[in-house]
Amino acid sequence: MDTPVIDTAKVEAFAMRAVGDVAAAYTGVMVSLGSKLGLYRALAGAGPLSAKEVAKRAGCAERYVREWLNAQAAAGYLGYHAVSDTYELSPEHAMVLADEDSPVYLPQAWNVPAAMWADESKALDAFRSGRGVAWGEHDARMACGVAAFYRNGYRASLVSQWLPALDGVVARLEAGIAVADVGCGHGHSTLLMAQAFPNSRFFGFDTHAASLAEARRHAAAAGAAQRVDFSAASAVSYPDHRYGLICFFDTLHDLGDPVAAARHAAETLAPGGTVLLVEPFANDRVEDNLSTVGQLFYAGSSLICCAHAISEGGTLVLGAQAGPKRLADVFRKAGFTQFRRAAETPFNLIYEVRR
């Protein structure tokens, strides 16, 4: 075999790209620290500030803060004014870094890669043995990071865009129906609907006890505990309340037997009921998913989604980039006849499914 000719320019270019990815990982740690220490909040809306002023506002040590500020300026997260030796957080960047209610707020999402690193030994064993890793076996930061990553996106779109995109569902919610949120996690999606539609009754189901405890805490804080019931049940065992709406928010692809989950939904729907399926954005072909969003979801799928599905028996391991055709096939096998893309975002595909 001939020795391949190495293009040194390509080697250097790719090495610098890899270094850029390492730098991005370092920046993620800085983002998490900045959020937890209140450094972004200290900068938000304040205009240019010196390191001393930022440190004082956040109650932190100036020398550490100055180095953090320089790291953030080098990453392009903050502006640096050399003449005044001050730092500034733009309003646009503040939406991503400081405004916890913004649909693009991201700092807590860095809990996910932190948990991935903490779980590296489990991942190595899973890859070598083929065994699964259940959701509850991950570092606790995993559930928190995933819930935070999706929460504000749901808040921005679920009630205002996704539910209205489903035929007749808003009117039924306003009149009063039973709603199941399967794989509800921390309950953010359940509570958004419960607060918007007080005449309906909401049931959140999950198998992860710690997430259910968080969901109940959120419900109590929102004053919605009387209209929302969070209980432990799998996607194939939750009780039949003749649901007018059954929701799968970024969870179907995590299940070991998604066809069985869809079949159980069919069996527990009220006549004329609807399934709302929200899945990570994906096209059907791998070559059409080779993007930043695909990079994010394929990596997460490797260590989270596929791992949990395998832990549940792995009858059909969809992964986070299942794509419309495979998802439609799941529901066709479960007896559904209507499968329609109702909406989409850069991160999610939203489907209306009916029998």
Side-chain angles (χ1 to χ4, degrees), residues 58-76:
C60 294
E62 179 185 347
R63 186 62 189 90
Y64 282 105
V65 169
R66 176 175 289 279
E67 211 70 4
W68 178 86
L69 289 165
N70 288 336
Q72 292 285 275

Side-chain angles (χ1 to χ4, degrees), residues 99-105 147-157:
D99 182 359
E100 295 185 11
D101 294 325
S102 164
V104 291
Y105 180 72
F149 179 78
Y150 285 113
R151 179 193 64 181
N152 286 7
Y154 294 163
R155 182 180 293 170
S157 303

Side-chain angles (χ1 to χ4, degrees), residues 8-330:
T8 56
K10 289 183 178 180
V11 172
E12 291 175 3
F14 179 67
M16 287 307 299
R17 176 183 170 181
V19 169
D21 288 342
V22 174
Y26 280 36
T27 298
V29 179
M30 296 296 102
V31 170
S32 183
L33 289 172
S35 176
K36 292 175 180 177
L37 292 169
L39 294 167
Y40 293 123
R41 289 191 298 275
L43 284 153
L49 294 174
S50 68
K52 184 176 182 179
E53 289 170 325
V54 175
K56 183 177 180 181
R57 282 169 169 250
C60 294
E62 179 185 347
R63 186 62 189 90
Y64 282 105
V65 169
R66 176 175 289 279
E67 211 70 4
W68 178 86
L69 289 165
N70 288 336
Q72 292 285 275
Y77 281 40
L78 299 179
Y80 176 65
H81 305 286
V83 173
S84 58
D85 190 25
T86 56
Y87 305 82
E88 186 171 8
L89 179 64
S90 73
E92 295 79 13
H93 289 198
M95 288 185 66
V96 179
L97 300 169
D99 182 359
E100 295 185 11
D101 294 325
S102 164
V104 291
Y105 180 72
L106 284 180
Q108 291 181 347
W110 282 98
N111 279 308
V112 175
M116 288 179 172
W117 279 113
D119 293 337
E120 184 183 24
S121 61
K122 296 175 184 176
L124 290 169
D125 175 72
F127 269 67
R128 289 169 176 152
S129 68
R131 285 190 288 268
V133 181
W135 183 253
E137 294 180 74
H138 287 291
D139 183 273
R141 289 170 292 185
M142 181 69 75
C144 294
V146 169
F149 179 78
Y150 285 113
R151 179 193 64 181
N152 286 7
Y154 294 163
R155 182 180 293 170
S157 303
L158 173 53
V159 173
S160 63
Q161 299 174 36
W162 299 349
L163 291 173
L166 308 179
D167 186 24
V169 167
V170 168
R172 296 186 186 100
L173 287 165
E174 290 173 341
I177 56 174
V179 179
D181 188 351
V182 182
C184 64
H186 286 203
H188 296 307
S189 50
T190 327
L191 288 170
L192 285 168
M193 294 186 291
Q195 290 170 315
F197 302 103
N199 290 332
S200 289
R201 176 73 179 174
F202 296 84
F203 300 86
F205 302 109
D206 209 292
T207 58
H208 188 225
S211 289
L212 287 169
E214 282 295 299
R216 295 185 187 107
R217 184 178 67 80
H218 292 317
Q226 299 305 312
R227 290 185 295 104
V228 182
D229 178 82
F230 291 108
S231 57
S234 75
V236 296
S237 68
Y238 55 87
D240 183 356
H241 291 297
R242 296 287 88 187
Y243 303 103
L245 179 65
I246 296 178
C247 306
F248 294 91
F249 290 104
D250 290 292
T251 192
L252 186 82
H253 66 272
D254 294 325
L255 303 177
D257 192 344
V259 175
R263 189 175 296 121
H264 188 67
E267 294 167 352
T268 56
L269 272 177
T274 301
V275 170
L276 169 58
L277 175 67
V278 178
E279 280 286 298
F281 188 97
N283 296 297
D284 289 313
R285 303 185 305 176
V286 171
E287 58 266 35
D288 294 327
N289 293 326
L290 303 183
S291 63
T292 300
V293 172
Q295 177 185 357
L296 182 76
F297 285 143
Y298 276 128
S301 186
S302 301
L303 301 187
I304 308 169
C305 312
C306 290
H308 183 80
I310 292 169
S311 79
E312 289 191 341
T315 302
L316 174 61
V317 182
L318 287 172
Q321 296 286 269
K325 288 183 180 179
R326 294 174 71 199
L327 293 170
D329 189 56
V330 165

